[in-house]
Amino acid sequence: QLRLVESGGGSVQAGGSLRLSCTASITTQNRYCVAWFRQVPGKQREGVALIDNDGTAYYTDSVKGRFTISRDNAKTTLYLEMNDLRPEDTAMYFCGADRLYGLSDRCPRLDLVGEYNIWGQGTQVTVSS
């Protein structure tokens, strides 16, 4: 029903930039929230950025001022512009989706990772010092 495909990862030096894309393919009329997450081996998946259905963007504290989330008008592609990258940003980046039901229009907060249950395959970001 919903398929997510991430792209745009790579290896950069500290201070560099990358732009990640998450393309959503949907075959139903269901509504979803889609957000960016990242995970380092051995650690829990962490919410990075979310753009709610009213257009409000939310970020985890460590990326505020450096990362920008956006989406295209058709809402089929979600972007994550990452600037001033740091070695601690190294991780596998995923987009995750949560289905909205009824009149609900609010996306789960970034810290509620378990609410998101549809995942892409991820794209690796490696930042060297």
Side-chain angles (χ1 to χ4, degrees):
Q1 293 180 340
L2 176 69
R3 182 168 176 254
L4 302 172
V5 179
E6 303 94 335
S7 62
S11 297
V12 297
Q13 290 191 327
S17 299
L18 285 172
R19 188 192 198 203
L20 306 184
S21 299
C22 171
T23 301
S25 300
I26 185 168
T27 58
T28 68
Q29 297 298 316
N30 295 334
R31 298 178 302 125
Y32 295 89
C33 288
V34 184
W36 283 104
F37 299 82
R38 65 186 179 186
Q39 189 169 21
V40 175
K43 293 190 176 182
Q44 290 187 337
R45 194 162 294 187
E46 171 193 29
V48 176
L50 161 68
I51 184 165
D52 213 330
N53 286 301
D54 64 358
T56 303
Y58 301 89
Y59 301 92
T60 192
D61 286 345
S62 63
V63 308
K64 287 179 181 177
R66 300 187 298 122
F67 290 13
T68 302
I69 188 172
S70 63
R71 62 190 175 202
D72 66 349
N73 288 336
K75 297 184 181 179
T76 58
T77 304
L78 190 70
Y79 302 100
L80 187 66
E81 185 77 32
M82 305 187 297
N83 297 314
D84 190 23
L85 282 161
R86 304 168 181 170
E88 53 265 38
D89 295 317
T90 295
M92 184 72 80
Y93 283 71
F94 299 88
C95 48
D98 173 53
R99 182 180 169 183
L100 294 172
Y101 292 89
L103 299 178
S104 175
D105 208 31
R106 294 300 306 274
C107 296
R109 300 191 316 266
L110 282 172
D111 60 319
L112 299 176
V113 179
E115 296 291 313
Y116 294 82
N117 52 24
I118 299 172
W119 299 96
Q121 84 289 348
T123 186
Q124 177 68 37
V125 172
T126 302
V127 185
S128 58
S129 58

